[in-house]
């Protein structure tokens, strides 16, 4: 019976590529799957798909109308998944995040590792199953790993990500350092985006201590360019917090060239953020030198502080 | 830093053996781990450990007093784990059950497959990492798979379990059919056990629809021998339900020779059990022909009915 494979809402490059890669592998192994997405590709992902001449995925908002069972990649938390996830059977999960707000009625296949990217976990599955990665798919998976690890510079990067990038670059026939920088820059073209787009593009929700915490990350090559729009960003966040019921919103603005983040915090409780990073907010902002990873450097200390 | 590896409370053969096997593998891969158990071995497991001249594991009730981090095998649900699990970091999980009531603050290694036994999943990890299974450990892992699959007859049995049993029997140098029957019979010596022991030996708790549901399974070669003690069993369950706060208790009495189960149900809501199996209880009992697997044939329909 056909299953859909998809990554999280507000898909980044890994969410879209990992779905394509895992669907390809599963179909090679005899399953009947289709890779879809829970949102349209962002600027970076469009660059990647266009570069390797790969189709944009079909976008869905519900799955139960099409299938009984699904495979999740690059996420597991229900609030990051398809709206009707509770009505579906999850048969497979490939991930590299913490596990939370995830529950099944029956045993399933779950393969998560604390690596830099879901596509690295999937690359290991290709190897374990002796399935070759086609050149185009290698290019896509390479792009996902570069995206998630900021060209292997993020502290989430592991030796296995480095090996995967080098081997996939070989298969795809690209110079990953040159290509990677070009790709990351393509994702930071912020001037054409509205404030609403900036605070939504890569945002994820987390339940912590009974509060709904929203964490968005914007990559840039110039922090000042983003913070010149601070008042408008703040107004957009306040509006979204009220409309969507978010208690606390953290906007991570990350300079991908020097790997530093400036945080803008809107909502309450703000003191938990100060506790998490052991640092005072100034005008609701704080600089976090060396912080580039939401998953490894922002969510765990927040979780601990709550 | 040292980590403890353990299976669930009321350990069965897989819970104890999988901990030993995974600890062995992790240490070969460079980790510093010790396999422990959350309870003493049952009759079947004692037979297995004695047969292969393997030490009984050290029994713990808390882990935080010894380590910061742990690896779980053959379970993930918090109520089946060590009492202070919420204060510990779970770095690895190897399992073959559903995922529920499990949450981490950080990414982890999680490898679950819908196979008959955790030891089969671990056997795959030995192969993937090119680590040889020593003969004694092969005998233990073989025993765990035979125990969980009732000599490859349970509907939870997969092709991969069959392959693992055959390959491990070869390494261990045992005739798995003869040995397996001897082992299973060793686990069904019920006459020496008190009612309290019978209702505790292999019991697991589940949260379903806001109720605490306790499901125990007793293997036998003679159903009537067990149900001759029904009044005393019922009294023991009622006492335990009151003391431990269980709402509903299902005692599965399974005949391992013909693969049928008779259910004794104590507590409420009983109508959910009737709904789950589409069958009326008679004097709080019902026969379930062909049912031998709690995980595959009892928990999912109960979950659905709740």
């Amino acid at each position: 019976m056909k299953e859909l494979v998809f990554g999280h809402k507000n898909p980044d490059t890994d969410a879209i590529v990992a779905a394509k890669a895992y669907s390809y592998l599963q179909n090679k192994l005899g399953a009947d799957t289709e890779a879809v997405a829970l949102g349209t590709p962002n600027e970076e992902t469009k660059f990647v798909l266009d570069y390797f001449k790969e189709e944009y995925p079909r976008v869905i908002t519900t799955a139960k109308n099409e299938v009984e069972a699904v495979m999740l990649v690059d996420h597991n938390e229900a609030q990051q998944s398809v709206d009707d996830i509770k009505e579906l059977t999850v048969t497979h999960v490939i991930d590299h995040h913490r596990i939370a707000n995830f529950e099944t009625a029956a045993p399933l296949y779950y393969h998560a590792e604390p690596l830099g990217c879901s596509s690295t976990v999937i690359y290991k599955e290709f190897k374990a199953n002796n399935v070759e990665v086609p050149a185009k798919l290698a290019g896509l998976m390479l792009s996902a790993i570069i995206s998630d690890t900021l060209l292997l510079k993020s502290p989430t990067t592991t030796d296995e990500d480095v090996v995967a990038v080098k081997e996939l670059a070989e298969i795809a026939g690209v110079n990953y350092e040159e290509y990677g920088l070009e790709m990351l820059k393509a994702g930071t073209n912020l001037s054409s985006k509205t404030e609403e787009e900036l605070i939504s593009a890569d945002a994820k929700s987390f339940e912590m201590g009974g509060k709904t915490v929203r964490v968005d990350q914007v990559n840039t090559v110039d922090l000042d360019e983003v913070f010149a729009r601070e008042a408008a960003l703040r107004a957009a966040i306040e509006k979204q917090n009220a409309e969507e019921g978010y208690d606390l919103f953290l906007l991570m603005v990350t300079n991908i060239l020097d790997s530093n983040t400036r945080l803008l915090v809107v909502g309450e409780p703000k003191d938990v953020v100060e506790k998490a990073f052991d640092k005072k907010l100034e005008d609701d902002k704080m600089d976090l030198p060396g912080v580039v990873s939401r998953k490894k450097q922002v969510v765990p200390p927040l979780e601990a502080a709550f």
Side-chain angles (χ1 to χ4, degrees), chain A:
Chain A
M1 216 139 60
K2 184 179 167 180
E3 296 188 42
L4 295 178
V5 185
F6 47 82
H8 52 78
K9 285 179 175 166
N10 292 321
D12 56 9
T13 299
D14 189 32
I16 283 176
V17 163
K20 284 178 176 285
Y22 198 54
S23 174
Y24 177 89
L25 175 63
Q26 280 292 333
N27 292 349
K28 279 279 170 195
L29 297 176
D32 174 17
T33 72
E34 179 191 355
V36 294
L38 302 185
T40 51
N42 64 28
E43 291 301 314
E44 180 192 274
T45 311
K46 281 182 190 164
F47 173 90
V48 169
L49 296 173
D50 293 346
Y51 188 97
F52 290 103
K53 298 188 172 55
E54 171 74 15
E55 279 180 26
Y56 289 20
R58 181 164 72 87
V59 175
I60 64 162
T61 53
T62 59
K64 180 75 183 180
N65 49 310
E66 298 186 49
V67 292
E68 294 293 321
V70 297
M71 302 182 183
L72 310 184
V73 294
D74 197 31
H75 75 296
N76 65 84
E77 304 194 37
Q79 72 280 4
Q80 298 168 6
S81 198
V82 74
D83 285 339
D84 54 356
I85 188 68
K86 303 269 184 193
E87 297 166 50
L88 295 152
T89 299
V90 179
T91 64
H92 294 68
V93 178
I94 302 286
D95 199 13
H96 68 131
H97 296 90
R98 71 168 190 160
I99 298 179
N101 199 8
F102 178 78
E103 185 167 319
T104 66
L108 73 163
Y109 186 97
Y110 200 111
H111 182 183
E113 297 197 37
L115 305 179
C117 182
S118 303
S119 289
T120 309
V121 180
I122 295 172
Y123 182 53
K124 291 182 72 175
E125 294 240 340
F126 270 87
K127 284 186 166 178
N129 288 288
N130 290 314
V131 174
E132 269 186 38
V133 184
K136 183 197 279 194
L137 190 54
L140 299 175
M141 292 167 76
L142 169 77
S143 305
I145 305 174
I146 290 171
S147 167
D148 268 15
T149 63
L150 294 177
L151 239 178
L152 305 177
K153 279 191 207 144
S154 162
T156 57
T157 311
T158 66
D159 291 346
E160 299 195 77
D161 297 302
V162 176
V163 168
V165 159
K166 289 182 175 165
E167 293 182 2
L168 289 166
E170 183 82 22
I171 300 171
V174 299
N175 176 322
Y176 75 86
E177 284 170 315
E178 280 175 22
Y179 166 76
L181 208 57
E182 200 185 337
M183 183 200 96
L184 288 175
K185 279 189 184 157
T188 64
N189 179 14
L190 305 178
S191 57
S192 65
K193 291 198 183 130
T194 66
E195 282 74 24
E196 287 69 27
E197 286 169 339
L198 286 182
I199 66 165
S200 305
D202 185 30
K204 290 184 183 172
S205 296
F206 302 87
E207 300 299 323
M208 295 183 189
K211 301 285 181 186
T212 300
V213 181
R214 186 86 168 164
V215 185
D216 185 34
Q217 183 168 25
V218 171
N219 289 334
T220 180
V221 289
D222 183 0
L223 285 185
D224 291 338
E225 186 192 339
V226 179
F227 279 92
R229 300 164 72 177
E230 179 180 340
L233 282 168
R234 188 187 288 268
I237 294 173
E238 277 165 1
K239 185 158 172 280
Q240 198 178 75
N241 279 1
E243 285 174 1
E244 303 292 334
Y246 306 139
D247 298 293
L248 183 68
F249 196 114
L250 279 71
L251 178 65
M252 297 171 62
V253 184
T254 301
N255 186 332
I256 57 165
L257 297 184
D258 64 8
S259 303
N260 293 318
T261 288
R262 186 176 296 161
L263 211 58
L264 174 65
V265 182
V266 181
E268 291 296 340
K270 284 200 186 67
D271 59 332
V272 175
V273 181
E274 297 187 329
K275 194 173 146 205
F277 302 103
D278 194 20
K279 196 166 189 176
K280 288 283 164 201
L281 286 162
E282 288 174 33
D283 294 331
D284 302 332
K285 296 187 290 293
M286 66 168 74
D287 280 313
L288 298 173
V291 168
V292 296
S293 166
R294 166 170 48 197
K295 192 177 65 170
K296 197 140 182 170
Q297 297 171 297
V298 173
V299 170
L302 264 183
E303 178 87 4
F306 268 101

